[in-house]
Structures are given as C-alpha cells and as structure tokens.
Amino acid sequence: MSNKSHLGHQAKKRFGQNFLHDDAVISRIVDAIDPTEGENLIEIGPGLGALTEPVIERAGDISVVELDRDLAHRLRHHPFIAKHLTIYEIDALKFDFSELAGEQPLRVFGNLPYNISTPLIFHLLSFKDKIKDMHFMLQKEVVNRMAAAPDSKAYGRLSIMCQYYCQVVPVMEIGPEAFQPPPKVDSAIVRLIPHKEIPVPAKDVNWLNRVCTEAFNQRRKTIRNSLSNLLSAEQLEDLAIKPSLRPENLSLKDYVNIANYLADRSAE
C-alpha cells in the first residue's frame, strides 16, 4: 500500500489531502471544539471522518462540505454516521455559508487543505455575522501569522484582517506524524471568534484591505515609500504615524485610521 493511502483512500495532491489518524490528537481537537447537541455544526473537508465521527458522538447531526466526490460517496454510505450527515458536495470557496444559518449561529471546523486555507478563511469572514466560532487545522506558520502582533516578522495583512474581524486564539500544535501522508510542515489548531462589534471599525473595509496589501507587498520599505501611491508623508504625519516606520510597526488601529482617511477623501 502506498504511504499516501489511508483506510483504502488514495490522498489526492490536487485537494491537498492529509488525513488525521492519531486518536490522542483527534480527541484533543474535539475537546477544543467542545461540540454539544443542538448546535449548528459545519465541517469543511471531513475527509475520512476522523473528526466527523467523534463530533457526531457528542453533537448528533452535522453538515459537511466536501469537494472530493469519492469521499462524499464514502460518507453517504458510512454504516454509522451517514444518517447524521447533511453533505454538500461543493468547493467551500464557492459555498454560500449563509444557506446553513438558522436560529443557531454556525460553528465551523475542519482540517483545511493548506493550499487554500488563506482564501477560504477570507471567504468565511464574509459570513462572520452568522458564525459563533471557527476551529481550523492549518499550517503552523499560517496560525502564527494570524495571531502575530506588530513588530514581528510574522505580522502582516493576514494578521490585521483576521484580528479586525475576530479574536484569534492559537490552541495547540501538531506534528506531521499525526497525519497520513505526513505533511512536510508542522500544523496547529486555531480558534477564531468573530467580534460581536468591531473594536476599531473601518468606514470601508475595502480600503483597509487595500492599504494592508500595498503596505506588505513592499514590507521592507518604509511606509513613506510602500504607501506613496495612496498618501504623502505629510498626510501620514497628520495621522500621527511616522513615515519612517515599516509596515510591521503599525497597529491595527493605525491601519484603520489610514483606511478611514482615504475613505473620507475618496467620498469628497
């Protein structure tokens, strides 16, 4: 049997599949999610059901989003859990998660394919008002970036945009040996809890995204240079921001202040 095969399924590189098989790790992850009966639980990429089965044991019925038709077929015919599943065979990047929102807010979890984790998180953040929390297995480096504070190399656009919308809580780290096939990187679980009210609201989040993108596309430059297409050094100083700082030195509040200034100017 190939080392890329697990429980009779051949891992597909195009889907970024790495299957959890360590029972102790699985138990710790389910404890972190802490699912209970009656909750609106959604799993992205259930795969071979490593998390699905123990979550169902605690919570009963759940919904899953699975792109791989072979895996979706296996889940539909699973002898124990099929009756507890509502399966959406679709790309999670294209799925309208508001379809699943009801009286109970969504609790989203999953072992995300690392090759689409960042765009998928941004997609899910567009539904944040309908989500209670999210628990994801991600590349450890991505979790570090999401949780990073200013003045660190890991701090960037992902940090700012995730922290703008959510409380970001790293939960646990997981080595490659917990997967089959083992990935070439360490993994981590992160908990994202959407803010009920945005602490530092942007007038137009598109401006915030653009400012962060421009700044960190040239992160080694000072913001006088990296943001020169958007505003001058004098305008930065008017916002009480030193033009000689580098992008990683600015706080979330600084970026929101810049975005709000640009939003006001564009509306004039």
Side-chain angles (χ1 to χ4, degrees), residues 28-127:
R28 289 173 63 198
I29 295 170
V30 176
D31 285 344
I33 298 169
D34 192 23
T36 59
E37 195 167 351
E39 292 183 318
N40 195 352
L41 287 146
I42 320 297
E43 182 177 10
I44 297 175
L48 295 166
L51 293 177
T52 318
E53 292 190 44
V55 167
I56 284 174
E57 286 177 8
R58 296 197 196 185
D61 298 344
I62 71 170
S63 299
V64 298
V65 179
E66 177 56 69
L67 178 58
D68 186 329
R69 65 180 62 186
D70 294 333
L71 291 174
H73 177 81
R74 285 180 65 134
L75 290 169
R76 285 194 182 94
H77 295 86
H78 194 289
F80 308 119
I81 65 174
K83 64 183 179 181
H84 296 288
L85 293 175
T86 302
I87 301 171
Y88 296 88
E89 194 175 324
I90 189 173
D91 185 347
L93 281 167
K94 299 175 181 177
F95 187 61
D96 181 359
F97 285 87
S98 65
E99 288 183 15
L100 304 182
E103 293 183 8
Q104 293 286 340
L106 305 179
R107 300 197 67 210
V108 187
F109 67 98
N111 174 15
L112 299 189
Y114 295 161
N115 55 345
I116 64 160
S117 60
T118 299
L120 182 52
I121 286 168
F122 278 116
H123 177 60
L124 284 160
L125 288 174
S126 68
F127 304 100

Side-chain angles (χ1 to χ4, degrees), residues 102-156:
E103 293 183 8
Q104 293 286 340
L106 305 179
R107 300 197 67 210
V108 187
F109 67 98
N111 174 15
L112 299 189
Y114 295 161
N115 55 345
I116 64 160
S117 60
T118 299
L120 182 52
I121 286 168
F122 278 116
H123 177 60
L124 284 160
L125 288 174
S126 68
F127 304 100
K128 70 172 187 64
D129 293 339
K130 303 181 186 303
I131 294 174
K132 178 181 178 180
D133 60 18
M134 297 178 274
H135 291 82
F136 293 131
M137 173 97 69
L138 300 166
Q139 191 171 331
K140 178 182 170 182
E141 177 190 351
V142 173
V143 172
N144 289 343
R145 285 165 50 205
M146 291 168 70
D151 302 316
S152 69
K153 290 183 178 180
Y155 183 71

Side-chain angles (χ1 to χ4, degrees), residues 178-209:
F179 300 87
Q180 181 64 27
K184 296 178 181 178
V185 295
D186 287 334
S187 305
I189 296 290
V190 66
R191 178 182 296 124
L192 301 175
I193 306 171
H195 299 305
K196 291 184 178 178
E197 292 187 13
I198 301 293
V200 189
K203 295 178 180 179
D204 183 344
V205 75
N206 292 318
W207 271 113
L208 177 61
N209 194 24

Side-chain angles (χ1 to χ4, degrees), residues 3-6 9-20 45-48 66-72 111-115 179-183:
N3 67 352
K4 292 187 179 180
S5 180
H6 183 56
H9 178 81
Q10 189 77 9
K12 298 174 184 175
K13 187 174 181 179
R14 71 181 186 276
F15 291 146
Q17 291 175 344
N18 300 91
F19 300 108
L20 267 172
L48 295 166
E66 177 56 69
L67 178 58
D68 186 329
R69 65 180 62 186
D70 294 333
L71 291 174
N111 174 15
L112 299 189
Y114 295 161
N115 55 345
F179 300 87
Q180 181 64 27

